[in-house]
Amino acid sequence: MWFSKKQNLVDSRPTVASWPQVIDNIKELPYAYREEVEKWLQKGMPLQNVTYVPSLHRLWKRQGEYAVAWFGDQVMLLRETSSTHADKAVISCREVVGVEYYQKLLNCCATVIYRQEGQIKRETFQFNKPKEPAFMPLLNIFLGNAPDYKINVFLEENPVCLDLIDQSYRMYNFSKMALRLDENVDTYHWESERFLYPQKVVKEEKIREYLIQLQGRGMTLIDAYDYGVGVVYLPWSSVEDLGSGPKGFWVKAGDKTYQIPISDGNQDAIYHFVQEAKQIWNQKKH
């Protein structure tokens, strides 16, 4: 942030000072986070496993600061409540129900859904794309992988989805995001819809695409629209039910049902796809 003398207003556009920072010295952390971080340091966690995200003020809202740390198969999230105290959430990969990931231009947001004490809980991490590598160990742990597993999936290939290149190169590229869950993709179903989006002068044609991928360890749902892409990662052990109907394909996990619209011409295809998905799910959910 900086001060705009011309308008006598605070310029709320993000600067490098508001970017996430990998910690090299414990004194770089605000005091409220140090006590909990030091406990993990005493257990053997490297200090470089700690990332601090400063508060970011935008014109319409304030994005609060937080700190995250990872060690073994656990992730710790700290949110400051006062200058001397922070609320703590510690999440083990065994508690994770699913992960939602959203990216639009340089803005990224990851939400982990997990079960603790018989309740479904959520924690959200917001950060910018240039600093995404600092958060990949967290996502990898949540998805049951090693922290250094496939830091950049876009350097990989997704051979099962190669047919998508001719139909939608954009979605083929996004299909690689499924590799964060598992490098093995068994099959997929792709949907595309076109619609007119009203602008001030003329209507602009937009394309929204969906991709469902069945994998060895779970299922990935991808929703690509305009400049954004959303991904839902669901391990087979978290899926409670799935099917298709008038509203399209649906899958229930935790306390939420995810839906993807299916065009009339693909109703037979999605029916057979669901049967295959149920067969894989029944084999691997336990």
Side-chain angles (χ1 to χ4, degrees):
M1 294 176 58
W2 64 88
F3 192 76
S4 173
K5 295 181 179 179
K6 182 178 180 180
Q7 299 180 357
N8 199 33
L9 293 171
V10 172
D11 191 326
S12 63
R13 289 172 294 183
T15 67
V16 174
S18 67
W19 286 16
Q21 305 164 17
V22 176
I23 299 301
D24 294 318
N25 188 311
I26 191 68
K27 294 182 179 179
E28 297 174 4
L29 271 178
Y31 183 80
Y33 305 127
R34 294 182 192 176
E35 180 179 357
E36 296 298 338
V37 169
E38 285 174 344
K39 291 178 182 178
W40 277 30
L41 291 174
Q42 292 172 5
K43 296 179 181 179
M45 177 190 71
L47 185 57
Q48 290 72 27
N49 288 14
V50 182
T51 299
Y52 168 62
V53 183
S55 177
L56 175 61
H57 291 266
R58 298 183 183 273
L59 291 177
W60 61 92
K61 66 178 180 180
R62 176 180 180 271
Q63 179 180 310
E65 71 172 40
Y66 64 92
V68 290
W70 56 272
F71 186 52
D73 66 350
Q74 292 184 318
V75 172
M76 176 169 60
L77 170 66
L78 299 169
R79 296 193 190 276
E80 186 181 56
T81 56
S82 70
S83 60
T84 60
H85 183 265
D87 284 342
K88 177 180 69 172
V90 177
I91 307 166
S92 166
C93 66
R94 296 181 297 275
E95 299 170 319
V96 173
V97 173
V99 175
E100 300 171 357
Y101 183 87
Y102 180 75
Q103 176 190 330
K104 185 173 184 180
L105 299 178
L106 294 181
N107 297 316
C108 298
C109 178
T111 298
V112 56
I113 304 102
Y114 62 104
R115 182 179 281 105
Q116 281 185 354
E117 300 173 348
Q119 295 183 330
I120 296 294
K121 301 180 180 181
R122 286 173 169 79
E123 295 292 350
T124 297
F125 308 82
Q126 293 178 316
F127 50 93
N128 55 6
K129 182 65 176 178
K131 288 295 184 177
E132 185 183 52
F135 290 84
M136 289 315 303
L138 280 65
L139 293 179
N140 285 335
I141 290 172
F142 289 147
L143 296 175
N145 293 313
D148 60 351
Y149 170 83
K150 295 188 185 299
I151 296 299
N152 188 350
V153 292
F154 291 106
L155 298 177
E156 308 286 334
E157 295 294 338
N158 189 351
V160 173
C161 294
L162 283 175
D163 291 344
L164 274 176
I165 292 179
D166 294 332
Q167 299 169 303
S168 171
Y169 186 80
R170 176 181 74 159
M171 185 53 89
Y172 168 71
N173 204 40
F174 286 149
S175 79
K176 299 177 183 180
M177 299 176 78
L179 303 180
R180 288 177 176 166
L181 174 64
D182 183 358
E183 62 183 6
N184 298 313
V185 177
D186 294 326
T187 188
Y188 71 90
H189 180 86
W190 170 67
E191 284 284 331
S192 176
E193 60 176 351
R194 296 175 181 268
F195 58 93
L196 294 178
Y197 184 82
Q199 299 286 354
K200 291 183 178 179
V201 181
V202 296
K203 291 184 177 181
E204 180 182 357
E205 185 179 65
K206 297 282 187 178
I207 299 176
R208 189 162 192 168
E209 299 178 83
Y210 307 92
L211 186 66
I212 313 166
Q213 295 181 83
L214 308 181
Q215 300 171 253
R217 295 182 50 240
M219 174 188 301
T220 303
L221 314 177
I222 299 179
D223 178 357
Y225 170 65
D226 209 3
Y227 298 106
V229 58
V231 188
V232 179
Y233 300 95
L234 299 174
W236 288 121
S237 58
S238 299
V239 174
E240 298 177 18
D241 199 3
L242 59 92
S244 62
K247 294 185 178 180
F249 173 85
W250 56 269
V251 55
K252 186 178 187 306
D255 60 353
K256 190 170 182 178
T257 298
Y258 300 92
Q259 294 184 334
I260 290 181
I262 303 297
S263 61
D264 292 339
N266 282 337
Q267 291 298 323
D268 287 342
I270 197 62
Y271 172 81
H272 293 292
F273 182 83
V274 167
Q275 300 311 306
E276 184 174 2
K278 286 185 175 181
Q279 185 177 12
I280 297 174
W281 171 48
N282 286 324
Q283 291 173 349
K284 300 185 177 183
K285 63 182 178 180
H286 297 299

